[in-house]
Amino acid sequence: MYRLRVKEVIKELGVTQSWLARNTKINESMIRRMVHDPNYMPSAATLAQVAKALHIPMEELLEELPDPPPPIPARERYGKNRSSK
């Protein structure tokens, strides 16, 4: 699973969302979504435009997160036979 790092990167570089929208020709509402929703995943082409405008490798816009553990089935959570007393 990946998380967008656009918010952190633009803060580090000292640029604004408006600047990024102007320099990528990406709609400002999409830039806003990339900044405020780290789980949003735009197309590779969009990420490439952002990376190019910021003069960074595209990989710096992404953070790899560990996959969450699989859910535990209810019968294992509560014991195999709850109804017996």
Side-chain angles (χ1 to χ4, degrees), residues 72-84:
I72 300 171
R75 68 176 178 269
E76 290 178 27
R77 250 187 310 208
Y78 302 113
K80 296 197 187 254
N81 193 356
R82 280 185 61 188
S83 61
S84 63

Side-chain angles (χ1 to χ4, degrees), residues 12-85:
E12 289 169 12
L13 297 175
V15 300
T16 65
Q17 294 176 41
S18 297
W19 180 93
L20 189 56
R22 283 191 309 275
N23 285 277
T24 58
K25 296 187 174 53
I26 295 172
N27 188 305
E28 198 163 344
S29 65
M30 182 179 281
I31 298 291
R32 198 174 311 116
R33 185 169 182 196
M34 285 190 279
V35 168
H36 294 289
D37 183 0
N39 297 315
Y40 173 64
M41 199 51 57
S43 70
T46 299
L47 284 178
Q49 281 179 278
V50 171
K52 183 177 179 181
L54 296 173
H55 304 287
I56 61 170
M58 196 164 83
E59 295 79 23
E60 287 191 31
L61 295 172
L62 299 170
E63 175 184 14
E64 188 171 4
L65 301 174
D67 290 331
I72 300 171
R75 68 176 178 269
E76 290 178 27
R77 250 187 310 208
Y78 302 113
K80 296 197 187 254
N81 193 356
R82 280 185 61 188
S83 61
S84 63
K85 294 182 181 182

